[in-house]
Amino acid sequence: MAALSLPYPGLLLKKPKKKLGVALVGLGSYSTYQLAPALQKTQFCELRGIVTCSPEKIPKWQKKYGIKDVNVYNYENMSQIANNADIDVVYVVLPNSLHAKYSIIAANAGKHVWCEKPMAMNTEECRQMINACSSNKVKIAIGYRLQHEPNNQKMMEWARKQPFGPIKDLKAAAGFYGNSLGWRLEKEMGGGAMYDMGVYPLNAARYSTQMEPVAVSATHEINRPQMFDEVDETTHFKLEFKNGIVADCSTSFGENMNSLEVNCENGYYYLKPFQTYSGVKGEASNGKVLPPFGKDQQAVQMDDDALAIINNKPMIAPGEEGLKDIAILEKIYESAAKGGKRLLL
């Protein structure tokens, strides 16, 4: 049987005999335009079920993807998925405030959990999700697709091997100018630039240094108060690491930004863009070019996570990874509320 390797070191896996069945919880734009199409390209998992509160979407999804009637659920009867051997994994793709609730329902049903980022609203919810999965002996992965993307993985490799010398500082930014933001403008739903887009530069600062920050400071910026009356439009935050390394990060719903730049003692490297669904590319000061990855990021992410389940190996981005980001995110909001006060982590 042919051997396959995941993109993190030391993990050699065997090809499974059958695919894992995935049920998508929430049929919004990300499920519709990214995940469902990506599941048509995966080697080790496939779309078999849906969970939705929009009955009008069901016929279209069933026709397009051949989903059986018995594999269609709503939010009220989702726990019955425990009795469905067709479904191995539940992928929660809902507004942030609902991540914990439905991830825990899935775990209690004995299904592995994939949850979109950010993991949850707070660290307590993250711990509840991790504990539910542990108690039910199922795995949980957070949808950090960039940790599965080769050029971002190169940032991690260079942080470990330091081919350009020790890191001095870095910059990371992710955002866009948004008008139709829906629930992302509602605080109770987990809206705001920092929750939605800010997790990208936050997570990137951590994996691009391969370290955890020791202090944080942050400020919010709102240029459209009539629209952003509950949540942040733009957040600037600074993460301090040991050895004096500083990461200057920004995220926004009011400005287009998409870059990751790392400065070292003997050179530099960057990705521009660094978090788009395709076309992630970059270059290093020695002339090395990092060309765009030619595969579907979401398909690679789900295949990696499926193989980890099949072979009972660690997830690339487990629940603990999501918890770490949320712990820092809480401090970012606290710092901004205190006028940018520097807080220890």
Side-chain angles (χ1 to χ4, degrees), residues 19-292:
K19 295 184 177 184
L20 296 181
V22 178
L24 295 176
V25 183
L27 305 183
S29 62
Y30 194 64
S31 285
T32 301
Y33 300 112
Q34 273 76 47
L35 296 179
L39 281 162
Q40 310 314 301
K41 306 173 186 177
T42 48
Q43 300 179 65
F44 312 118
C45 53
E46 61 187 5
L47 177 59
R48 290 192 195 145
I50 54 175
V51 182
T52 181
C53 64
S54 303
E56 71 279 3
K57 294 181 179 180
I58 295 172
K60 179 180 178 181
W61 277 72
Q62 286 191 291
K63 181 179 179 180
K64 187 170 185 178
Y65 297 112
I67 296 169
K68 303 174 186 177
D69 289 342
V70 294
N71 291 350
V72 176
Y73 298 87
N74 57 51
Y75 300 147
E76 286 68 40
N77 67 12
M78 179 180 153
S79 61
Q80 295 176 18
I81 208 167
N83 304 315
N84 192 333
D86 254 5
I87 307 301
D88 303 290
V89 180
V90 169
Y91 198 149
V92 178
V93 201
L94 293 167
N96 303 333
S97 61
L98 301 175
H99 285 185
K101 177 179 179 179
Y102 289 97
S103 293
I104 291 170
I105 290 174
N108 288 338
K111 305 302 178 181
H112 299 286
V113 177
W114 297 345
C115 179
E116 258 314 299
K117 60 83 196 160
M119 184 174 179
M121 294 287 286
N122 52 59
T123 53
E124 178 56 31
E125 288 187 347
C126 293
R127 292 188 183 97
Q128 290 172 3
M129 294 163 68
I130 292 170
N131 290 340
C133 290
S134 177
S135 297
N136 289 285
K137 296 181 172 53
V138 296
K139 292 183 179 293
I140 180 170
I142 310 305
Y144 287 119
R145 58 185 168 81
L146 296 181
Q147 293 204 26
H148 302 256
E149 192 276 326
N151 287 334
N152 277 276
Q153 288 176 344
K154 182 61 70 173
M155 302 295 104
M156 304 177 208
E157 178 189 330
W158 284 346
R160 293 189 297 267
K161 296 182 178 180
Q162 298 188 352
F164 300 90
I167 294 173
K168 293 170 60 180
D169 58 71
L170 65 95
K171 295 180 181 180
F176 61 93
Y177 188 89
N179 281 316
S180 301
L181 294 169
W183 64 264
R184 289 172 177 82
L185 295 174
E186 300 178 34
K187 184 176 182 180
E188 286 190 1
M189 298 295 285
M194 189 64 222
Y195 266 104
D196 188 68
M197 296 298 292
V199 177
Y200 287 116
L202 170 55
N203 199 248
R206 291 179 50 242
Y207 64 63
S208 295
T209 57
Q210 293 291 289
M211 293 189 293
E212 297 300 330
V214 296
V216 62
S217 57
T219 57
H220 295 319
E221 178 183 325
I222 295 178
N223 295 315
R224 293 176 287 173
Q226 72 284 359
M227 185 175 178
F228 292 89
D229 57 350
E230 293 186 19
V231 299
D232 54 305
E233 180 178 13
T234 298
T235 297
H236 304 287
F237 59 100
K238 180 181 294 185
L239 300 175
E240 300 175 33
F241 299 84
K242 65 180 182 180
N243 301 329
I245 299 171
V246 174
D248 282 312
C249 305
S250 296
T251 186
S252 183
F253 282 152
E255 182 181 349
N256 294 321
M257 50 179 73
N258 197 335
S259 61
L260 173 59
E261 307 169 51
V262 182
N263 294 308
C264 306
E265 287 190 1
N266 302 318
Y268 63 85
Y269 44 91
Y270 65 83
L271 295 177
K272 294 182 183 178
F274 94 94
Q275 57 78 224
T276 47
Y277 294 152
S278 62
V280 172
K281 60 183 179 180
E283 191 171 342
S285 55
N286 63 359
K288 181 176 178 59
V289 174
L290 302 175

